[in-house]
């Protein structure tokens, strides 16, 4: 359960940070200093939160290694490899699911805009 939460947190913060950085890079010279300041502050906060989430992931990885060590006393080599594969695939599938959800959301937004333009 913790793995799901931490991976989703990292993905969410990465996405939000990327969006803020994209907005900052696309702002023209006409952007107000207040707007720039606000976006830079948001980027700073998100970067800090992202770093905290990475530390959570590192702690989770350490816990995973401890669990793996304990399980190695009770499981066969094949079962242990199956467990490791499950944990790796779970993270990969969570990331893939998030990417697909984002693509679906983007497609829905594009479809809505197209319908409105017709």
């Amino acid at each position: 359960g913790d793995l799901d939460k931490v991976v989703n947190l990292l993905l969410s913060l990465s996405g939000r940070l990327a969006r803020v950085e994209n907005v900052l890079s696309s702002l023209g010279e006409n952007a107000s200093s207040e707007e720039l300041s606000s976006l830079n502050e948001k980027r700073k906060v998100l970067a800090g939160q992202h770093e905290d989430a990475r530390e959570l992931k590192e702690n989770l990885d350490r816990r995973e290694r401890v669990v793996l060590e304990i399980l190695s006393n009770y499981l066969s080599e094949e079962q242990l490899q199956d467990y490791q594969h499950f944990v790796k695939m779970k993270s990969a599938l969570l990331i893939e699911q998030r990417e697909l959800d984002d693509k679906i959301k983007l497609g829905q937004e594009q479809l809505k805009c197209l319908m409105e333009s017709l």
Side-chain angles (χ1 to χ4, degrees):
D2 289 345
L3 180 63
D4 293 354
K5 293 173 188 169
V6 171
V7 168
N8 281 322
L9 177 63
L10 277 167
L11 291 172
S12 175
L13 289 170
S14 294
R16 291 172 61 198
L17 187 57
R19 283 191 294 277
V20 168
E21 288 176 349
N22 285 341
V23 169
L24 274 170
S25 67
S26 68
L27 285 178
E29 296 174 3
N30 299 334
S32 69
S33 62
E34 183 178 304
E35 187 177 16
L36 281 172
S37 176
S38 172
L39 287 168
N40 280 320
E41 182 61 30
K42 185 179 275 193
R43 180 177 55 179
K44 181 180 172 184
V45 168
L46 287 170
Q49 290 174 338
H50 189 263
E51 184 58 36
D52 291 344
R54 286 177 46 171
E55 288 177 22
L56 285 172
K57 177 68 169 94
E58 289 172 10
N59 289 335
L60 188 61
D61 291 344
R62 280 193 289 278
R63 283 185 9 214
E64 180 185 338
R65 286 191 294 275
V66 170
V67 168
L68 191 61
E69 189 175 318
I70 292 169
L71 289 176
S72 68
N73 296 323
Y74 299 98
L75 300 176
S76 69
E77 186 63 32
E78 184 180 340
Q79 290 172 322
L80 201 58
Q81 287 176 354
D82 286 345
Y83 170 78
Q84 287 176 299
H85 178 72
F86 169 78
V87 171
K88 287 180 183 175
M89 287 306 298
K90 187 172 183 177
S91 292
L93 290 172
L94 283 169
I95 292 168
E96 189 174 335
Q97 178 185 8
R98 184 64 174 256
E99 289 173 352
L100 290 172
D101 289 344
D102 289 346
K103 287 180 181 179
I104 289 170
K105 185 178 178 182
L106 177 61
Q108 289 171 337
E109 289 172 359
Q110 289 174 337
L111 183 60
K112 180 183 174 188
C113 289
L114 285 171
M115 295 300 281
E116 289 174 356
S117 70
L118 293 175

